[in-house]
Amino acid sequence: MSRNQKGEPFDNFFRVSHGPLESEQFKQLPVTAQLLYFYLCKLGNRLAKRDGEFFRSDTVLEKDTGLSNFTIRKAKRLLGNAGMIQFNKPSQRNKATRYTVSEYSNC
């Protein structure tokens, strides 16, 4: 079985609801916001506690997605305004942001 750099099998899957993918609101988002949404769904499936929260710093998101810090901040704002995610910005720089992928998106 082939594995990625983190040692995870390539055939791992994560759940994403069809609802957001089929919505006009999602289709109007820049592809970078869509990419971040998918990545946050993956993290939510893997890391979320019972309350649906998980943490990830923007620095780690940059490395994981290949997006710039500016693009990540913009995409988070767009996804938050669309109601697809909630996030709480940390009070200190370089600390992890708390995320919840919205129930509406059901991922």
Side-chain angles (χ1 to χ4, degrees):
M1 177 183 300
S2 300
R3 297 191 177 270
N4 65 16
Q5 292 176 345
K6 295 179 183 177
E8 300 168 333
F10 282 121
D11 60 350
N12 276 353
F13 298 96
F14 61 94
R15 292 181 314 139
V16 177
S17 172
H18 290 202
L21 304 180
E22 296 167 351
S23 74
E24 280 305 311
Q25 190 174 26
F26 186 80
K27 292 174 186 175
Q28 298 302 315
L29 290 171
V31 71
T32 52
Q34 293 175 0
L35 171 70
L36 183 62
Y37 176 77
F38 286 124
Y39 193 74
L40 292 174
C41 282
K42 175 189 171 189
L43 292 176
N45 278 256
R46 198 175 89 199
L47 303 175
K49 300 176 184 175
R50 285 186 163 234
D51 60 5
E53 292 183 346
F54 61 95
F55 294 83
R56 201 60 148 202
S57 72
D58 286 356
T59 304
V60 173
L61 285 176
E62 283 179 66
K63 291 176 186 173
D64 290 348
T65 63
L67 300 173
S68 71
N69 188 277
F70 174 82
T71 301
I72 288 170
R73 288 193 325 262
K74 181 179 177 184
K76 286 188 335 188
R77 190 172 58 252
L78 290 169
L79 291 168
N81 291 342
M84 295 180 163
I85 65 168
Q86 292 89 42
F87 63 96
N88 292 338
K89 198 165 108 176
S91 57
Q92 296 177 330
R93 188 171 169 88
N94 293 328
K95 294 291 181 183
T97 300
R98 180 180 1 178
Y99 291 95
T100 306
V101 177
S102 300
E103 288 296 319
Y104 136 79
S105 61
N106 216 12
C107 51

